Amino acid sequence: AVVSTQSTGAFPCTPEYTLSQSNYKISCGMSLFFVFSLVLFQSVVSELSDSDVERSDVTVRSSFWDEARDKADELKEEAYELKKEAYELKEEAYELKVGALETRLDLEKSLLETLLLMRNQATATSLYVEEIRSTLTTLSTRLDQLEDKVDTGTETMVREIEQARLTAMTIKNRQKAWLSEVRLISLYKMTGADFEHVSSHYSDLIVDGQFVHDRQVENSMRTYFHTAGAARDNKLWIQLGGIFRIHKIKILNLRHCCQERLIGAHVYADERLLGTVVEAKGSYEFFANEDDPTYASKITLYQPLAQQTHILELQVWGNGPFSADDKF
């Protein structure tokens, strides 16, 4: 209990306190107990408070360190992973460095080989160019000599060509003059016939140049050709012995009889038809076209009808001979 101090205005346990001694002692003891209890309580409370604070601080500190420890472990793990990755990157960088070094060595080796090859090629090319230069010099000298010879030869050739032209003109003029002479070219040439008479009327008689227009008294004096019979397709021919330009064919028929037997006969210069007998008379002339010259080596008298063939003379007029590539 608490003793009120309002009646006396003095603090309890003082001499002026009006209570009895026993009450005074009890009251003083209780007051002291109360004060002591209060002080003790405050002390306990204070100690409890300090202990709680300390325990709270310890708990906070423990939680903080645990979290710090966990964070440190995580950072340690991350650092380890980063270290591992850095190590792997280092390995890759090393491998790349080794590869780059090998590539560089290969490239330097290749460049060195290329330079050596180029040097060898350059040396060979230089020798080849020098050889070409020497050859060109020789060719130039030879060309100069050849040019001199060509110039000399050209002058000579020009003179020879001019001389050949003059010679050709001379020959051409001579040929023209020679061509102007049309002569008998069938005289004494080789002859033949399909149905030649075996006694006296030979085919040679048409080119002998001898004929009599009147009838002979003696048979031995007959100079005309006569076939052995009247078969169809009788042929009588003259071999000229070369290629001649034909101007005219002349046939001398019999005069004493049978002139009509020659009607229907064809005259050929090689394969070209020059004319056909269409009437009975003493002689026939067949002319070649001057605008389309006729060249031949054989003259044929062909009778397709069943008639005997008999003539005095077969004359061929022209000029020549000519070669096959010299017709004009």
Side-chain angles (χ1 to χ4, degrees), residues 217-236:
V217 178
E218 298 295 336
N219 287 336
S220 60
M221 297 179 65
R222 293 181 293 184
T223 61
Y224 60 89
F225 166 76
H226 200 300
T227 57
R232 292 180 180 274
D233 300 325
N234 286 322
K235 288 183 180 180
L236 173 65

Side-chain angles (χ1 to χ4, degrees), residues 143-157:
L143 286 175
D144 292 338
Q145 296 174 355
L146 183 61
E147 185 176 359
D148 295 337
K149 291 182 180 179
V150 168
D151 292 338
T152 304
T154 301
E155 295 176 358
T156 304
M157 186 181 297

Side-chain angles (χ1 to χ4, degrees), residues 85-103:
E85 292 178 1
Y87 179 76
E88 293 176 354
L89 290 174
K90 182 178 179 181
E91 291 291 331
E92 293 179 0
Y94 178 76
E95 294 177 357
L96 291 174
K97 183 177 180 181
V98 172
L101 181 60
E102 293 177 352
T103 303

Side-chain angles (χ1 to χ4, degrees), residues 44 55 68 87 97 122 139 148 197 252 260 300 314-315:
V44 171
R55 282 197 300 268
Y87 179 76
K97 183 177 180 181
L139 288 176
D148 295 337
H197 204 287
L252 299 179
E260 71 278 1
T300 303
L314 181 58
Q315 296 179 347

Side-chain angles (χ1 to χ4, degrees), residues 175-192:
Q175 286 178 337
K176 287 182 178 180
W178 180 53
L179 286 174
S180 65
E181 180 196 10
V182 178
R183 69 186 188 278
L184 181 63
I185 59 175
S186 59
L187 189 63
Y188 305 126
K189 296 297 177 69
M190 297 184 67
T191 63

Side-chain angles (χ1 to χ4, degrees), residues 26-85:
I26 292 171
S27 179
C28 185
M30 289 180 66
S31 295
L32 290 175
F33 176 76
F34 175 75
V35 171
F36 177 77
S37 296
L38 181 58
V39 172
L40 180 60
F41 176 75
Q42 291 179 352
S43 175
V44 171
V45 171
S46 177
E47 290 177 1
L48 289 176
S49 297
D50 293 338
S51 177
D52 291 338
V53 171
E54 290 177 0
R55 282 197 300 268
S56 178
D57 291 339
V58 170
T59 303
V60 171
R61 287 197 196 99
S62 177
S63 176
F64 173 76
W65 285 112
D66 291 338
E67 291 178 1
R69 190 180 299 108
D70 294 337
K71 190 66 176 179
D73 293 336
E74 293 177 1
L75 293 175
K76 184 178 180 181
E77 291 292 332
E78 292 178 0
Y80 178 76
E81 293 294 332
L82 291 174
K83 182 179 180 181
K84 182 178 180 181
E85 292 178 1

